[in-house]
Amino acid sequence: MNAVSKSILTFILRTLIVISPIILILLGWYIWADPFKVIRHYDCYYPEPAEYPARIGINKGIVTFTNFEDRIKEGHKYDSFIFGSSISCYYDAATWSALIKDSLRRTCFAKGNENHISVNPYHFDSSGESLISLAKKVKYLDDNGIIIRHALIILDPVIMAANPSDSPGSIDPPQLHKNIFETIGYHYTFFRAATNADFFKSYIPGMVWNKPVKNGHNMVFERQPIKYDPLTNQETLQLWDSIIRTNPEKFYSRNPLNDSPIVYTERSPVLSEKKKEALERIAGIFSRHATDYHIIIGPNRAKITLNKSDLAEMQLIFESGRVHDFSTSHAPVLEADTMLYDNTHYRPPMAEIMMRQVYGSNAAE
Amino acid sequence: MQFTDIIFALFLTIVFCLYWFPLRGRTVWQNTLLLTASYIFYGWWDWRFLGLIFLTSLTTFISAQYARGRYGKLLTTANILLNLGILICFKYLGFFTENLGKLLSLFGLGLDWFTIEILVPVGISFYTFQAIAYSVDVYKCRITACRNPLAFFTFISYFPQLVAGPIERASRLLPQITGIRHWNRQLASSGMRMIMFGLMKKVCIADILAIYVGRIFSASEIDPIMVLAGGVLFSLEIYCDFSAYSEIARGVSRLLGIELMINFKFPYFSRNIPEFWRRWHISLMEWFRDYLYIPLGGNRNGKIRTAINTLIIFTLSGLWHGAAWNFVLWGVYWGACLVAAKFLFKQQVSKRDSTYGDIPAMVATFGVTSLGFYFFRCTSQADIIAGVHALWLYAAVFILIWAFSLLMVRYNILRKIIFVTFSALFLGIACYIAFTRWIYLLKFWWLIPGALVCVLEWEARNSDYPLQSVSSDEWKRLTLYVVCVLFIAISEPTEMTFIYFQF
């Protein structure tokens, strides 16, 4: 090796000596702490809120898939899935099951055959779920030989505009990665999220005081006191539901809502070619599985409604009577504060109203 | 692909290794690598605009071959008009049609049938001006036309300076591209220092300031205090952002054995307005001076003509930054300030190095600068009007600070008293915060790299670049570098692009 090559290598080595210590320290901390629970497998992703008030907000998609795989290994067999963003979390799986059974009893089975009706629900959701990621999830189930007998897709005119994101809260979990580069990008995203000053600003005082602290631009800790059912991947907010029932003024003084406007705003079209293709893939898989499915486009506090051309497109892609747009008709219900946890997420009673209307049932009180 | 992306670090590593290991000493292959890398770099932004940069390179190269021939003037003019036409089309057509429409509507006419929304190619202003400068230089026999298409295309698209300058002259850059590059470890080390310092300025200071500036300018109403804060903070943001890019560009280029020109020479340590414009965006101002100001007559035709030429140059300079009236206003503001500085206040560029005694003059200059940058940042007419209404506060605050700094500089005893008082106060507040409100120290962590940048730039204000003359003690140097790397590593991911990419 000549002198110039040696000099260049020496330069590279010295640069690495300067850069490496910091990177290795941060990497070491990240691997040891694993604050976003992406490196190791955990039996419990949602510890008890009362015991662990300072819980880092984690990627729901990772929990959904990891928990699903764990339950499958235990022998659970799921055949009914609720898809969507975090809004879909508050569609109660048990209520949905009951409505499906009721609907099946009324439409398909003679009274003597009730014992053969079986619905095993699972929430297959992610935060900020885009239509493209949703299609990937449906495909994942199809590729893994899971029969989708029943499906409920929960959408919202605002969320439908979302595109696949690289943010820690919304990035696709490893089970959906197509190549090693996506997996590297995934781990790099969480490494950066866990080793930047904005994270430490909240994390350090949060750990010291053992309570959620917002000291930076982004929220690090989970605000919601989530009760988690691993069998259905269902999240409930029993503590908040209790406070809202008994003392709504106290709850909403701490979690104020925006005023609901008088006028409705029709969203501009959001279904790009890629999103239409994603919906067509979903429709194709449901067709092959002979899935009994419904798509609910729910309302929101801001009274932003689904664009008519988007609705028409969806009705073309999916079978008749499968797409239910409640973004206009049910928006007045959300004028009542007690129907909402926050400006984006409506509570289970609102979800139940729409499910009952879709499945046309008065049973399962 | 931005300089702050991890993908750029991988890209640069690959280019560096290929450049210096298998291709060392082979200029043609190195230029092929640089050209390919530059097109990959530019195409990463938007592959659709590769055709434009190729067209600019091709027309400029061909027209220069015949620039000294019989139709030289015609060809050179045609090339300039073509490239300016492309620039105007992409950057200014929407602005002109919108304003023409408004003008016509005053007479009851309309232009509603014509609407246009064009995506502005990244860096078009920079490489277009670089190509035009080359065309003119060849025509005027300042340089000979480059006969090597590979070298020339590399010169136009050279990736470190492609999207945000500096706007290089062919006389400086082309010989380096056509010549053999020799490995120089000191040059490469200084390049790494520049990259490190530039990254720290960008991700630890500019991006954080951008959040606060964004909040100010997105407020429904801007009061005078917000105008002052917005102007000052944006001035710091745009300097840290733009100078960081230039430093990283120079640093990357030094890694490849090529020297780019200095684009910023610590402009906020300028003692007067003329000096500021010799230190801020040097490559652009030199371009305007050589290709517009001097052809218009420069300062050779009396004071009035000089003043008019100055106003024209700065108005066009403002328009170069963007197709919006706030940029034009900024240009006119600076033209007026420079004319007033030269003719009313007789300010001249000083050749001596700056000292602590120049701080009052620096404060006054910064006051004028930050007000100009407030207008530069305005996004609406209401913001501009708010700025005009806040002129009294701007003047009052900066006069006070100027007077205070003047007293501090002139009276030693006063300086000592104030220093001791402020130190004690600062220590007391710091201890209080550390023990009772320590989480706020975490919130403003970026003030530490901010203070470090201020100190290092002040120490280097009469040098070429910050960190040029760091301590000779190896351990002190290493500690400084590790600290800089730490700040870069923990920088907040705000996903801010470099401001000057939009130009």
Side-chain angles (χ1 to χ4, degrees):
Chain A
M1 191 185 292
N2 63 32
V4 175
S5 297
K6 271 188 194 166
S7 175
I8 297 171
L9 284 171
T10 307
F11 167 76
I12 293 172
L13 194 63
R14 288 168 77 105
T15 305
L16 287 172
I17 286 171
V18 171
I19 297 171
S20 301
I22 297 296
I23 303 298
L24 288 172
I25 289 169
L26 290 174
L27 194 60
W29 176 84
Y30 170 67
I31 292 171
W32 171 77
D34 192 17
F36 293 104
K37 298 185 176 173
V38 298
I39 297 174
R40 290 181 284 280
H41 179 274
Y42 295 82
D43 291 329
C44 174
Y45 283 88
Y46 291 105
E48 187 59 41
E51 285 175 41
Y52 300 94
R55 292 159 290 117
I56 306 278
I58 55 178
N59 182 301
K60 181 66 194 292
I62 297 168
V63 177
T64 293
F65 276 89
T66 309
N67 183 68
F68 183 73
E69 287 168 351
D70 289 347
R71 302 287 84 77
I72 295 290
K73 280 183 196 151
E74 285 172 2
H76 292 275
K77 289 185 181 354
Y78 296 101
D79 58 12
S80 307
F81 300 93
I82 299 176
F83 300 97
S85 65
S86 51
I87 295 173
S88 70
C89 290
Y90 310 113
Y91 281 71
D92 183 51
T95 306
W96 182 52
S97 294
L99 288 171
I100 291 172
K101 287 177 187 172
D102 187 54
S103 171
L104 286 172
R105 278 189 210 104
R106 282 185 284 110
T107 60
C108 296
F109 291 90
K111 282 195 178 170
N113 289 338
E114 286 92 340
N115 290 337
H116 295 289
I117 299 169
S118 166
V119 177
N120 296 300
Y122 190 84
H123 270 274
F124 221 90
D125 61 301
S126 287
S127 300
E129 179 86 295
S130 69
L131 290 173
I132 292 162
S133 293
L134 201 155
K136 285 185 193 174
K137 288 186 172 66
V138 175
K139 186 174 181 305
Y140 166 86
L141 293 171
D142 183 44
D143 287 346
N144 283 274
I146 309 288
I147 303 295
I148 310 171
R149 287 197 212 286
H150 308 280
L152 182 62
I153 298 179
I154 308 300
L155 300 176
D156 172 271
V158 176
I159 293 289
M160 279 171 70
N163 290 309
S165 166
D166 287 342
S167 70
S170 312
I171 193 169
D172 282 341
Q175 290 86 348
L176 296 182
H177 295 165
K178 292 197 210 79
N179 53 56
I180 187 85
F181 298 110
E182 281 189 50
T183 308
I184 293 170
Y186 165 87
H187 283 292
Y188 177 71
T189 296
F190 284 104
F191 171 70
R192 278 295 284 138
T195 55
N196 71 79
D198 196 57
F199 176 83
F200 289 129
K201 277 187 227 174
S202 300
Y203 180 78
I204 294 172
M207 291 294 115
V208 167
W209 294 331
N210 193 26
K211 65 176 188 183
V213 169
K214 186 174 185 289
N215 195 31
H217 305 293
N218 297 303
M219 195 66 201
V220 165
F221 293 101
E222 183 63 69
R223 281 186 64 238
Q224 298 167 332
I226 297 171
K227 279 276 193 193
Y228 179 70
D229 174 13
L231 284 180
T232 57
N233 194 36
Q234 170 101 50
E235 290 179 15
T236 51
L237 302 175
Q238 293 169 8
L239 178 62
W240 279 10
D241 285 332
S242 168
I243 298 172
I244 290 170
R245 270 196 301 272
T246 56
N247 195 346
E249 290 82 17
K250 176 183 172 187
F251 180 84
Y252 293 108
S253 65
R254 288 185 191 166
N255 305 284
L257 300 174
N258 293 338
D259 291 332
S260 182
I262 298 168
V263 293
Y264 291 75
T265 307
E266 185 178 325
R267 176 100 213 185
S268 50
V270 297
L271 290 184
S272 60
E273 283 311 311
K274 277 194 176 161
K275 286 180 182 167
K276 285 182 206 166
E277 283 165 15
L279 292 175
E280 282 162 7
R281 282 198 294 276
I282 295 170
I285 292 170
F286 284 171
S287 174
R288 277 193 288 105
H289 288 236
T291 308
D292 171 33
Y293 67 91
H294 291 278
I295 299 169
I296 289 177
I297 296 116
N300 50 78
R301 181 81 165 181
K303 289 193 176 142
I304 294 170
T305 62
L306 183 66
N307 184 275
K308 290 187 182 55
S309 64
D310 285 342
L311 178 62
E313 289 282 353
M314 291 179 75
Q315 285 167 335
L316 268 175
I317 293 169
F318 296 100
E319 293 166 24
S320 172
R322 298 287 184 184
V323 180
H324 310 271
D325 178 16
F326 294 133
S327 62
T328 308
S329 57
H330 285 58
V333 183
L334 292 185
E335 287 173 6
D337 290 358
T338 52
M339 281 297 189
L340 292 151
Y341 291 120
D342 56 43
N343 291 309
T344 313
H345 300 89
Y346 43 81
R347 292 181 57 229
M350 181 72 215
E352 191 173 327
I353 289 170
M354 288 186 286
M355 281 197 290
R356 287 190 183 281
Q357 187 153 342
V358 166
Y359 290 94
S361 170
N362 292 321
E365 298 288 340
Chain B
M1 193 191 317
Q2 292 192 72
F3 285 169
T4 50
D5 291 341
I6 190 80
I7 195 80
F8 179 77
L10 294 169
F11 167 85
L12 182 62
T13 306
I14 294 168
V15 169
F16 177 85
C17 290
L18 287 171
Y19 190 87
W20 287 116
F21 284 113
L23 302 180
R24 189 169 70 243
R26 299 173 191 176
T27 308
V28 171
W29 283 106
Q30 281 183 328
N31 286 344
T32 308
L33 172 66
L34 285 180
L35 182 63
T36 310
S38 300
Y39 272 62
I40 291 171
F41 179 81
Y42 195 64
W44 205 281
W45 289 93
D46 196 327
W47 62 269
R48 294 172 294 180
F49 295 127
L50 284 173
L52 274 178
I53 194 170
F54 181 81
L55 180 68
T56 295
S57 305
L58 186 67
T59 57
T60 309
F61 177 77
I62 292 172
S63 65
Q65 305 309 310
Y66 305 100
R68 294 192 193 164
R70 191 172 166 191
Y71 300 105
K73 189 172 184 178
L74 181 66
L75 283 169
T76 304
T77 309
N79 180 55
I80 291 170
L81 287 175
L82 172 68
N83 284 297
L84 272 179
I86 293 171
L87 178 64
I88 289 167
C89 215
F90 277 91
K91 210 168 156 180
Y92 300 104
L93 193 59
F95 173 67
F96 286 136
T97 53
E98 184 194 332
N99 286 281
L100 184 63
K102 283 180 186 168
L103 187 64
L104 290 175
S105 67
L106 292 174
F107 300 101
L109 302 165
L111 203 62
D112 300 333
W113 53 271
F114 186 83
T115 56
I116 190 157
E117 260 191 61
I118 300 178
L119 199 63
V120 180
V122 169
I124 188 170
S125 305
F126 292 92
Y127 70 73
T128 301
F129 270 35
Q130 189 156 310
I132 290 172
Y134 171 79
S135 268
V136 172
D137 285 349
V138 170
Y139 173 71
K140 290 201 178 279
C141 303
R142 289 176 194 153
I143 54 171
T144 52
C146 178
R147 300 276 182 222
N148 183 340
L150 175 63
F152 183 76
F153 276 58
T154 306
F155 158 69
I156 293 291
S157 62
Y158 183 50
F159 74 90
Q161 44 98 226
L162 176 59
V163 292
I167 302 170
E168 272 293 349
R169 299 298 176 85
S171 56
R172 272 193 294 256
L173 186 55
L174 257 178
Q176 295 186 79
I177 287 178
T178 52
I180 298 174
R181 273 86 68 175
H182 299 283
W183 168 255
N184 182 323
R185 197 162 72 81
Q186 277 72 36
L187 195 71
S189 297
S190 67
M192 278 308 301
R193 285 200 289 273
M194 286 175 164
I195 292 170
M196 188 176 61
F197 194 75
L199 279 176
M200 188 170 71
K201 274 206 291 196
K202 167 63 177 164
V203 299
C204 298
I205 304 169
D207 286 354
I208 306 291
L209 287 174
I211 296 172
Y212 294 107
V213 169
R215 283 183 198 161
I216 290 172
F217 281 90
S218 60
S220 50
E221 253 186 66
I222 303 183
D223 60 36
I225 292 179
M226 286 167 76
V227 167
L228 180 66
V232 170
L233 290 179
F234 182 67
S235 303
L236 297 173
E237 180 204 334
I238 195 170
Y239 169 67
C240 288
D241 190 286
F242 198 8
S243 66
Y245 183 92
S246 293
E247 266 153 36
I248 297 170
R250 284 185 76 203
V252 167
S253 197
R254 280 191 173 190
L255 287 179
L256 302 171
I258 294 172
E259 187 72 53
L260 292 179
M261 65 175 290
I262 300 170
N263 214 11
F264 290 86
K265 271 199 101 169
F266 314 103
Y268 290 159
F269 299 140
S270 301
R271 291 158 284 195
N272 53 49
I273 306 296
E275 186 177 4
F276 177 80
W277 284 107
R278 292 290 178 93
R279 290 169 174 260
W280 179 277
H281 203 174
I282 298 167
S283 64
L284 180 70
M285 298 325 292
E286 284 186 356
W287 193 98
F288 274 110
R289 179 197 64 199
D290 293 341
Y291 300 103
L292 224 53
Y293 182 70
I294 290 173
L296 283 174
N299 57 5
R300 296 191 300 268
N301 299 322
K303 283 185 183 175
I304 295 175
R305 187 70 214 178
T306 304
I308 292 170
N309 291 342
T310 305
L311 278 167
I312 291 171
I313 293 309
F314 274 89
T315 306
L316 288 174
S317 156
L319 199 58
W320 176 90
H321 283 82
W325 286 112
N326 63 300
F327 295 123
V328 177
L329 177 65
W330 177 81
V332 170
Y333 169 85
W334 270 117
C337 284
L338 192 57
V339 165
K342 277 187 170 169
F343 297 115
L344 280 178
F345 299 102
K346 310 288 184 215
Q347 289 181 352
Q348 284 179 342
V349 180
S350 173
K351 288 188 172 43
R352 64 170 176 82
D353 289 346
S354 59
T355 63
Y356 282 98
D358 295 312
I359 289 177
M362 292 175 185
V363 166
T365 308
F366 181 72
V368 175
T369 307
S370 63
L371 179 63
F373 276 126
Y374 170 83
F375 291 119
F376 186 93
R377 181 60 173 81
C378 286
T379 52
S380 68
Q381 211 174 30
D383 294 346
I384 295 173
I385 293 168
V388 172
H389 287 159
L391 281 174
W392 65 270
L393 181 67
Y394 236 100
V397 166
F398 275 94
I399 287 171
L400 266 171
I401 300 173
W402 169 81
F404 179 74
S405 60
L406 194 64
L407 289 170
M408 290 280 284
V409 155
R410 285 202 181 160
Y411 298 105
N412 202 18
I413 184 76
L414 184 68
R415 188 162 63 237
K416 284 181 179 161
I417 293 170
I418 300 240
F419 178 76
V420 168
T421 312
F422 269 93
S423 298
L425 210 65
F426 176 77
L427 230 72
I429 294 170
C431 288
Y432 173 75
I433 292 174
F435 285 109
T436 61
R437 300 271 188 272
W438 57 272
I439 74 168
Y440 290 113
L441 291 178
L442 293 177
K443 205 176 179 92
F444 294 103
W445 70 276
W446 53 273
L447 290 175
I448 302 173
L452 185 62
V453 164
C454 280
V455 167
L456 289 171
E457 293 217 340
W458 174 259
E459 291 300 313
R461 67 192 182 280
N462 298 312
S463 309
D464 178 12
Y465 65 92
L467 300 181
Q468 181 173 3
S469 38
V470 289
S471 168
S472 53
D473 184 325
E474 189 152 351
W475 283 108
K476 279 186 187 170
R477 274 210 317 274
L478 191 61
T479 306
L480 177 64
Y481 298 156
V482 168
V483 165
C484 290
V485 169
L486 171 66
F487 286 135
I488 294 165
I490 65 168
S491 61
E492 301 178 16
T494 56
E495 293 178 22
M496 300 284 181
T497 55
F498 285 92
I499 294 173
Y500 266 70
F501 282 5
Q502 62 185 300
F503 308 134

